[in-house]
Amino acid sequence: MSHMCIDATVRAAVEHGYPCQVIVDACATTTLQIEDKIVPAEHVHYAFMAALKGIYATVKTTEAFLK
């Protein structure tokens, strides 16, 4: 899931000196809840992609990656 494995793997890889690319439409996540607040999966996914973009990874669509 974007908010767990993708995030953790990218951040760890960067710490070890690896450049990273994330294909934004090739991963996904689930809706999260904390107390009475529900965060839709799409919002969770794009928040994590935005956090990784630039500092930790190049974030691209599948179409852009294949070009």
Side-chain angles (χ1 to χ4, degrees):
M1 289 190 278
S2 309
H3 73 282
M4 294 177 68
C5 299
I6 300 297
D7 183 63
T9 300
V10 168
R11 290 171 188 265
V14 169
E15 286 181 13
H16 289 285
Y18 292 99
C20 295
Q21 293 186 54
V22 177
I23 310 304
V24 68
D25 53 349
C27 54
T29 195
T30 189
T31 296
L32 298 177
Q33 182 173 351
I34 183 163
E35 298 182 7
D36 64 337
K37 304 295 184 207
I38 296 173
V39 186
E42 182 179 30
H43 294 182
V44 175
H45 177 71
Y46 283 106
F48 273 83
M49 295 299 105
L52 291 175
K53 183 179 180 182
I55 296 172
Y56 292 99
T58 301
V59 178
K60 299 179 178 182
T61 63
T62 300
E63 182 179 347
F65 177 76
L66 293 175
K67 285 184 180 179

